[in-house]
Amino acid sequence: MRKHISIKHLVVFAIVHLVVTGQASADRFADAKAFDDNRNTEDARPLLKAEAEAGNVDAMFMYANYLTFGKGGAKDPQGAISWYQKMNAAGDLRGYWKIGEMYEYGDGVKSDQTKARDWYCKGFEAGQDNAAQSCGKYALNGTGGPVDYALASRALDFAADRGFMVAQGGVERMKTEGNYVEPPKVQTQ
């Protein structure tokens, strides 16, 4: 006597197989990006959340942006900040820069130039190039804190070395105005 395998059992087997092999995750993120490209944010949002929860930092980045601006659902700026911090902890440092932008522009949070500067400069110290350029700009102009030419020089040099033209212009401006601070020489023995 043959046992009949139900469709339900086959579907469960297929899902388990896809999850175990990782194929479901890759397909889920590809589907989310396709929905996003077609401005179908309501369908993209839950897929991005699932991918973010699975540890995909690109999905964390996109999902946090969705939460910041209310794409595909309600705005949740504190949730966005939490996901950006998870990105940082996972080694993707773009979260520092994005949190700084949230405070700089008031994206879902009250605009606060001191907090923006703090996040940008934390990102620079961690090695994030976009944050470095913004940290340098804030330090050079005294935005969100005092003018700090030494910090501006270091941060703008870092970003300029990575091809950021605004940072290159900031370094040149500081040198022309006599405000550039040379980094200390490292002595080798």
Side-chain angles (χ1 to χ4, degrees):
M1 183 169 181
R2 272 177 96 168
K3 283 190 169 184
H4 178 68
I5 298 176
S6 72
I7 297 293
K8 180 181 174 183
H9 287 105
L10 286 173
V11 169
V12 169
F13 174 77
I15 290 171
V16 169
H17 174 72
L18 290 173
V19 169
V20 169
T21 64
Q23 187 63 42
S25 179
D27 289 346
R28 187 171 51 210
F29 187 59
D31 288 346
K33 286 175 35 177
F35 285 134
D36 183 69
D37 290 344
N38 291 314
R39 301 192 188 327
N40 186 346
T41 58
E42 291 80 19
D43 287 334
R45 187 169 172 152
L47 296 174
L48 290 171
K49 181 180 182 186
E51 275 302 290
E53 289 171 343
N56 180 326
V57 292
D58 290 325
M60 289 178 196
F61 185 79
M62 287 180 71
Y63 183 61
N65 279 321
Y66 269 54
L67 295 176
T68 300
F69 298 107
K71 291 173 72 175
K75 286 185 178 183
D76 182 2
Q78 293 308 312
I81 288 171
S82 175
W83 280 107
Y84 287 134
Q85 290 174 325
K86 289 175 185 178
M87 284 176 59
N88 295 337
D92 186 324
L93 306 177
R94 293 177 294 173
Y96 289 109
W97 165 56
K98 294 304 288 184
I99 295 171
E101 277 192 333
M102 288 177 71
Y103 284 110
E104 179 177 1
Y105 299 110
D107 292 334
V109 295
K110 185 177 187 308
S111 180
D112 185 328
Q113 300 310 304
T114 301
K115 286 184 179 179
R117 179 176 173 154
D118 289 345
W119 280 102
Y120 286 144
C121 292
K122 284 179 190 177
F124 158 59
E125 295 298 338
Q128 210 288 326
D129 46 11
N130 292 300
Q133 177 168 274
S134 296
C135 173
K137 177 183 75 171
Y138 270 58
L140 177 60
N141 297 323
T143 307
V147 170
D148 185 339
Y149 292 125
L151 175 58
S153 298
R154 286 184 300 120
L156 292 174
D157 263 343
F158 181 86
D161 287 347
R162 283 149 184 82
F164 285 76
M165 295 188 69
V166 170
Q168 293 167 356
V171 170
E172 289 306 313
R173 175 181 148 204
M174 291 176 66
K175 287 180 177 179
T176 300
E177 295 174 357
N179 298 321
Y180 182 78
V181 178
E182 288 286 341
K185 301 289 182 207
V186 178
Q187 294 183 357
T188 58
Q189 294 181 2

